[in-house]
Amino acid sequence: MQTPFVTDPDHPVCVTCPARRLPRAAFVVYDRPSRECPFDPADGYRYTADRAPACVHPHRLGVDADRTAPEADASTAPDGKPRHR
């Protein structure tokens, strides 16, 4: 069995953080919540599109984000045209 990244029950990470159940190499860290790592209500965790577990609070883990999330509220698409919701 692999040791989770966070083992101290008093560490200030979310209850659903993958760091509580996985070693550091087994999940990605975004700098904030993003559409690239949505919450899955079926099991209560966040995942990337390829189902890699994701943490969205690097400051709580004391690490740098290793994947930078895009601007969630960008008003224009990459081609410069306005986005419509």
Side-chain angles (χ1 to χ4, degrees), residues 18 21-22 26-28 30 36-54 67:
R21 59 189 169 87
L22 300 170
F27 61 94
V28 296
Y30 283 82
E36 284 191 12
C37 55
F39 177 80
D40 184 346
D43 67 4
Y45 296 106
R46 287 184 178 274
Y47 296 97
T48 62
D50 60 356
R51 296 296 288 176
R67 293 191 56 176

Side-chain angles (χ1 to χ4, degrees), residues 13-81:
V13 296
C14 301
V15 174
T16 59
C17 184
R20 290 198 179 271
R21 59 189 169 87
L22 300 170
R24 177 61 196 95
F27 61 94
V28 296
V29 180
Y30 283 82
D31 61 345
R32 65 182 175 275
S34 165
R35 291 181 183 146
E36 284 191 12
C37 55
F39 177 80
D40 184 346
D43 67 4
Y45 296 106
R46 287 184 178 274
Y47 296 97
T48 62
D50 60 356
R51 296 296 288 176
C55 170
V56 294
H57 300 113
H59 60 282
R60 292 185 182 179
L61 292 179
V63 300
D64 291 329
D66 57 15
R67 293 191 56 176
T68 303
E71 291 293 325
D73 295 326
S75 60
T76 58
D79 62 6
K81 296 180 181 176

